[in-house]
Amino acid sequence: MTVQYKGTDVPVQISSITNTLNYIQEHILPDIFEDDPTITEKLIYSKISKNSNIEKTVTALCNKEIDDKFICLFSYGSNIQKMLSIVEIFKKVKTEKDLKQMRQWNKMISLKNIEEGRNELLEKKTIVPILITLITTSESLTSPIFQNDKNMFTQQ
């Protein structure tokens, strides 16, 4: 089985959630944020898997000071549904707690999982989505990656 990102083989197995999330944080996210090298100083990363505890994760996120930072939540494949739940609950709780409006940007990218067949025609190729969400309470915090159409971040 082979996993590819942008047509290049990557050393992960989709079934290994921890390793895949680590690879996304260490390799894919820096690739996405390359148009703004200063953004990495403003990011607080949060990996979300389907095993993440919603209450503990939301509490931890609410305790982060994000007035001049972005929380970068990311997940992939079947883990994305849990991430969406956490994002929406976090936004509601944080807004009620701090009485500040949340700003959110999303980006969807993908990995390709290729299972070998007897020949190239029998290979099974599966697209595995990766969802990246950036959230802040700052009215002025922004980045060139949001204005650049090739980055395809959408504001929520």
Side-chain angles (χ1 to χ4, degrees):
M1 193 171 322
T2 304
V3 178
Q4 293 183 339
Y5 173 67
K6 290 186 172 180
T8 304
D9 291 357
V10 296
V12 296
Q13 295 296 317
I14 296 298
S15 60
S16 175
I17 296 170
T18 302
N19 290 341
T20 303
L21 288 172
N22 287 338
Y23 184 84
I24 292 168
Q25 182 174 340
E26 294 166 9
H27 299 282
I28 295 176
L29 293 178
D31 179 55
I32 290 169
F33 299 136
E34 71 181 354
D35 286 350
D36 183 5
T38 64
I39 197 170
T40 55
E41 302 159 4
K42 303 172 199 166
L43 294 175
I44 300 169
Y45 293 106
S46 186
K47 305 169 191 168
I48 307 294
S49 75
K50 58 184 160 191
N51 297 325
S52 296
N53 180 296
I54 292 176
E55 186 177 350
K56 288 180 183 176
T57 304
V58 168
T59 301
L61 292 172
C62 283
N63 291 332
K64 307 261 187 228
E65 185 57 48
I66 61 170
D67 284 339
D68 60 345
K69 302 235 185 241
F70 293 103
I71 291 184
C72 177
L73 297 108
F74 59 96
S75 196
Y76 74 97
S78 61
N79 302 291
I80 290 176
Q81 188 60 45
K82 178 67 77 95
M83 183 182 137
L84 292 171
S85 298
I86 288 171
V87 165
E88 292 307 316
I89 294 169
F90 164 66
K91 285 175 27 184
K92 183 178 187 306
V93 170
K94 186 75 169 171
T95 302
E96 290 173 357
K97 179 182 170 193
D98 295 349
L99 301 174
K100 291 184 178 179
Q101 192 63 31
M102 305 293 283
R103 296 173 60 217
Q104 174 182 342
W105 293 266
N106 299 314
K107 180 178 176 81
M108 182 76 78
I109 57 174
S110 63
L111 296 170
K112 187 182 290 186
N113 193 34
I114 303 170
E115 294 179 37
E116 295 179 21
R118 283 185 275 165
N119 61 44
E120 193 175 290
L121 295 174
L122 297 176
E123 286 180 340
K124 181 180 176 189
K125 297 177 183 176
T126 307
I127 302 298
V128 180
I130 300 171
L131 179 61
I132 301 159
T133 298
L134 297 175
I135 299 175
T136 187
T137 56
S138 171
E139 288 295 320
S140 60
L141 190 60
T142 189
S143 169
I145 63 170
F146 302 138
Q147 282 83 39
N148 187 340
D149 288 342
K150 88 171 175 85
N151 287 320
M152 296 179 5
F153 272 91
T154 56
Q155 188 163 6
Q156 187 74 18

